[in-house]
Amino acid sequence: MTGPLRPVFHEGQVLAAADLAATVEHARGAAARHSRYLHDWGIADGLGLTTQPRTDPATNTRYVEVRVSPGFAVDGTGRELVVPEAVVLRESDFEAVNGADLPTTEPYPVFLSAVDRTPAQSTRLDSCGATAGQSRVEESYQVLFGRLGDERLAADQQPPAAGSAPADPPVRWLVLLGYVRWTAGHFAGVEAKARGVAPRYAGVRADTVTARSGTLTLRTSPAVKQGQPAVVLSGEDPPSLVFGLYQGNGSVSPLMTVAANGNLSIQGSFSGRISVGSTLVTSGTATDGMLLPLPSGITPEQVAGGQVVLHVQLTPRIPPLPAPSALYSPVEATVDGDRRVRCRVRLFDAAATPAVVTEKPGAVDFLVLAAVAAANGGGGK
């Protein structure tokens, strides 16, 4: 076994057709291996199924004309499939494959596959004026209709071995474009997905992705659209990781931000399934009469049902003193069964005339710890 052979030339060498063909084949093989193993095969651009309303003049029946839009795909062998202009699907081709089926509302798959063709005027004359054979091969395509369920054949296709060169003629590889519906001898519509299978789109295989600008953005479509999600990894000072939605001006409005120090900021609420033995905490400041909040993810129903046990710690805050000589002492700092804070403080200023003792509402720093009970049966294992 040998690796790929790269043609080399020297001065005075007589070049045969095989030498020139080998140069082309070496380049084709390198491009095919790149597409085959550094990318995931599928549709790269366009190739959608579109419809135009039509009327059958004989029966006055309304139907649709189905077209494949221009586009580009790469199959699992590394072969590029270029559709330079829109292609109208022929109903006669569909009937040749599925015309004997009983009427059904199930959509039929449509595939794209590579094929080599001999273009017109591809032959040339030799030095004596005789025909020397073809000099061009058109790397073309064909649109195929499948039977119901054939869309699953695409997932079972296996790429050729690593050292394999592009096949000549090309290996039949099916790229799913979508589905068509068929009613009363005509196309009735198109579908993008059926029976859980949708067209596959080209991707990239990489363990490392870098950005030359210092900012890496992931989004769900080639074009920036308002309201679409995006993930932005910024290497600026300070670095950050942002998940958000595109605004009308093209910027990303953050919904979640991870700062360089590890701090997490979210615009909405944080929730998730709580497991047995887990502990959630919230803290803050409350004044007399306020209801203490529950940690995010804990509901009053869970507390009332005994699924969650609350532990509360209150620390009275020093109130503003009316004078440097004034003294204070907490009278009450409690929380009742409804999580309502009761806090009173007593103030006394011996230097005041007359010296009186006053009592007023106070404030506390609180810590609410919610522990998921081990016997609640609903948190997990």
Side-chain angles (χ1 to χ4, degrees), residues 36-37 41 76-77 157-162 173 205:
R36 191 187 305 163
Y37 296 109
W41 66 271
T77 72
Q157 300 174 111
Q158 297 298 319
W173 189 282
R205 300 181 185 183

Side-chain angles (χ1 to χ4, degrees), residues 17 122-136:
S122 66
T123 59
R124 64 178 180 84
L125 302 179
D126 62 16
S127 59
C128 298
T131 301
Q134 67 182 56
S135 60
R136 299 290 187 274

Side-chain angles (χ1 to χ4, degrees), residues 19 35 40 61-62 68 74 101 118 124 143 156 194 220 269 292 303 315-316 330-331 340 361 377:
D19 297 318
S35 298
D40 288 324
T61 301
R62 299 297 298 270
V68 178
V74 178
D101 285 3
T118 302
R124 64 178 180 84
V143 178
D156 297 332
T220 56
S269 60
L292 294 182
V303 176
T315 302
V331 178
R340 189 176 301 278

Side-chain angles (χ1 to χ4, degrees), residues 150-208:
D150 279 354
E151 64 275 2
R152 303 195 180 278
L153 297 176
D156 297 332
Q157 300 174 111
Q158 297 298 319
S164 299
D168 189 16
V171 173
R172 184 173 182 264
W173 189 282
L174 301 177
V175 177
L176 178 66
L177 301 182
Y179 301 82
V180 292
R181 294 189 179 275
W182 181 260
T183 302
H186 293 290
F187 293 125
V190 298
E191 301 288 343
K193 183 177 182 180
R195 296 175 287 276
V197 181
R200 172 173 172 158
Y201 294 90
V204 62
R205 300 181 185 183
D207 292 328
T208 301

Side-chain angles (χ1 to χ4, degrees), residues 26-40:
H26 179 268
R28 290 184 65 214
R33 287 187 294 273
H34 176 94
S35 298
R36 191 187 305 163
Y37 296 109
L38 293 181
H39 296 271
D40 288 324

Side-chain angles (χ1 to χ4, degrees), residues 226-366:
Q226 184 174 359
Q228 280 195 335
V231 177
V232 181
L233 177 61
S234 173
E236 297 179 357
D237 188 18
S240 64
L241 175 65
V242 173
F243 168 77
L245 301 178
Y246 275 112
Q247 302 302 295
N249 60 3
S251 64
V252 176
S253 178
L255 295 177
M256 181 185 73
T257 303
V258 181
N261 60 3
N263 288 345
L264 175 65
S265 302
I266 58 175
Q267 299 302 310
S269 60
F270 180 82
S271 62
R273 182 179 180 184
I274 56 176
S275 59
V276 169
S278 63
T279 301
L280 293 90
V281 178
T282 188
S283 61
T285 301
T287 57
D288 181 64
M290 285 183 57
L291 288 177
L292 294 182
L294 293 172
S296 180
I298 301 297
T299 65
E301 291 75 18
Q302 290 173 321
V303 176
Q307 295 174 299
V308 174
V309 177
L310 295 182
H311 303 272
V312 180
Q313 178 179 329
L314 303 180
T315 302
R317 294 179 65 90
I318 300 176
L321 298 177
S325 58
L327 302 174
Y328 93 99
S329 64
V331 178
E332 180 184 19
T334 60
V335 61
D336 61 19
D338 295 328
R339 307 192 317 281
R340 189 176 301 278
V341 172
R342 302 298 181 186
C343 180
R344 306 288 293 180
V345 295
R346 187 170 294 163
L347 299 177
F348 173 69
D349 188 356
T353 303
V356 295
V357 176
T358 59
E359 193 171 294
K360 58 185 295 185
V364 296
D365 294 326
F366 68 84

